[in-house]
Amino acid sequence: MTAGTVPAQSAPLLLDPDDARDLVRRELEDPLYDAAEPTLLDRTARAVGDFFAQLLNPDLSGAWGPAAAVVATVVVVAVLGAALLIWGRPRSSARSRRPAELFGADERRSAAMLRADAAAAAARGDWDGAIAQRFRALARGLAERAIVDPSPGTTAQAFARAAARTFPASAPDLARAATTFDDVRYLRRPGTRELYEEIARLDDVLVHTRPASAEVAG
């Protein structure tokens, strides 16, 4: 630079449109911008909050504000009522979860299935099997009605005593049925048509008898 010469000023940096777009795009790709953006959960929560705020907004024109609040309340109550109808019946759920053990055997059949199998065994002349299955059908039927529910490990005699407290008029028949079951199941005494028919009649009577009280055999 010679003396007295005025230094030339740098010309401003000008970008053409394509370079400018590239620069903006690279800048927006910075992860810092993504971190600042609201997440999907944030946007959903904000949308739900705005929706209910609009429903309950007292500045809504006409009667729409109170009406919308009433509609929202009715919808919530209806949903809760439906949930109670579907999931609010623990007794029904308990029936569907039958214990696997019944009088010392792994037994998952329903009372109806046990009665049908007992009748089939009787038709074959298998009185031992018919007696055991019909007595289990009697017990399973009372459990399905949530009247007397023999827990795993309950003996036939304990079940009969609990059922007798619920059906006092049938107490002697229940005691005899439990004894017959034990004789056939454990003492290997032969069953007979008469013993099977006695238990079957008792089962049929209890199906149509209103219980005096509810018991849980332990």
Side-chain angles (χ1 to χ4, degrees):
M1 181 185 303
T2 60
T5 303
V6 178
Q9 295 182 351
S10 299
L13 179 61
L14 297 178
L15 299 176
D16 61 40
D18 292 336
D19 292 337
R21 282 195 297 269
D22 290 340
L23 181 61
V24 172
R25 186 181 66 251
R26 287 195 300 272
E27 180 67 18
L28 292 177
E29 288 175 353
D30 192 314
L32 292 175
Y33 289 96
D34 292 336
E37 285 292 322
T39 64
L40 177 61
L41 181 60
D42 294 334
R43 293 193 295 271
T44 302
R46 185 181 302 121
V48 172
D50 292 343
F51 172 74
F52 281 102
Q54 288 294 328
L55 283 180
L56 303 176
N57 188 355
D59 296 332
L60 289 177
S61 59
W64 284 106
V70 171
V71 170
T73 303
V74 170
V75 169
V76 172
V77 171
V79 170
L80 292 176
L84 287 175
L85 288 176
I86 296 173
W87 294 293
R89 303 175 65 182
R91 177 171 293 184
S92 297
S93 300
R95 293 178 192 176
S96 65
R97 295 190 299 271
R98 290 187 293 267
E101 196 272 342
L102 184 62
F103 303 138
D106 184 8
E107 184 56 75
R108 301 174 188 273
R109 286 173 290 180
S110 66
M113 294 172 62
L114 284 164
R115 291 181 184 114
D117 290 344
R124 297 191 304 269
D126 178 12
W127 302 116
D128 292 358
I131 287 171
Q133 292 183 89
R134 192 59 188 253
F135 187 79
R136 288 194 176 97
L138 186 157
R140 180 55 51 81
L142 296 186
E144 289 175 351
R145 293 165 62 190
I147 297 174
V148 182
D149 192 1
S151 59
T154 301
T155 65
Q157 297 295 333
F159 164 76
R161 288 191 295 270
R165 290 191 290 270
T166 308
F167 300 98
S170 298
D173 295 332
L174 284 162
R176 284 196 300 272
T179 298
T180 298
F181 174 84
D182 285 342
D183 287 348
V184 169
R185 183 76 170 80
Y186 301 110
L187 301 181
R188 304 300 180 185
R189 292 177 179 171
T192 64
R193 177 192 297 271
E194 291 73 22
L195 291 173
Y196 165 73
E197 291 179 346
E198 183 177 318
I199 294 177
R201 282 194 299 270
L202 174 61
D203 185 24
D204 291 339
V205 167
L206 295 183
V207 166
H208 298 95
T209 301
R210 186 181 182 87
S213 62
E215 288 283 346
V216 176

